[in-house]
Amino acid sequence: MGTEQQAPAEHPRVRRRGQGQLEAQVLAALQAAPAPATAVWVQQHLGDGLAYTTVMTILSRLHAKKAVSRSRSGRSYVWRAASDTAGLAALRMRRVLDNEADRDAVLASFVSTLLPDDENLLRALLDSAVDDGS
């Protein structure tokens, strides 16, 4: 008797999110919440079939980054957005910069790769910060 080898079952390819994409989605859900929200509320409003533990992990990471705040409500927490998606991106950029030994080189390299419109915007923002006394 010969043995037949079966082809592996086809599995639908799971598309992975880009780095930070899930954090941005969780943050957007919290921003849309009418009041501080539980992790279960966030999980339900994401609608991606994410596990509760995944949502809690993302909320905890966002809390560590100071992008969300939390307060006790009974035995669990309710969560509130403390930052928008632009603020979250700025926090990520700052964390990268803080982990580099040569900040001057990193900033110089970053600025040298900006598109002209972005460079002009950055100049205007820096001028505005100086004018405001920041």
Side-chain angles (χ1 to χ4, degrees):
M1 239 202 261
T3 58
E4 290 182 24
Q5 225 176 13
Q6 286 186 317
E10 297 265 338
H11 294 287
R13 187 175 174 116
V14 176
R15 188 172 182 168
R16 294 184 55 97
R17 291 177 178 86
Q19 184 178 7
Q21 185 179 6
L22 187 53
E23 287 180 349
Q25 289 173 341
V26 168
L27 194 56
L30 283 176
Q31 289 168 332
T38 64
V40 170
W41 185 93
V42 173
Q43 179 188 23
Q44 292 169 345
H45 283 81
L46 288 176
D48 285 346
L50 292 173
Y52 174 81
T53 54
T54 300
V55 173
M56 281 301 301
T57 298
I58 297 302
L59 286 168
S60 296
R61 287 181 183 167
L62 288 170
H63 184 258
K65 296 174 183 179
K66 299 186 183 351
V68 300
S69 61
R70 67 182 183 193
S71 57
R72 281 273 182 202
S73 178
R75 291 177 37 190
S76 62
Y77 288 108
V78 289
W79 304 83
R80 176 187 311 256
S83 178
D84 57 11
T85 51
L88 181 59
L91 287 169
R92 276 194 224 108
M93 291 167 64
R94 177 64 186 262
R95 192 173 67 234
V96 167
L97 185 59
D98 288 346
N99 288 325
E100 292 297 327
D102 190 350
R103 293 172 71 94
D104 290 351
V106 172
L107 284 171
S109 180
F110 175 72
V111 169
S112 71
T113 63
L114 290 175
L115 297 173
D117 288 346
D118 293 335
E119 185 177 337
N120 292 334
L121 176 59
L122 182 58
R123 285 182 197 280
L125 291 169
L126 289 170
D127 289 344
S128 176
V130 169
D131 293 342
D132 292 343
S134 301

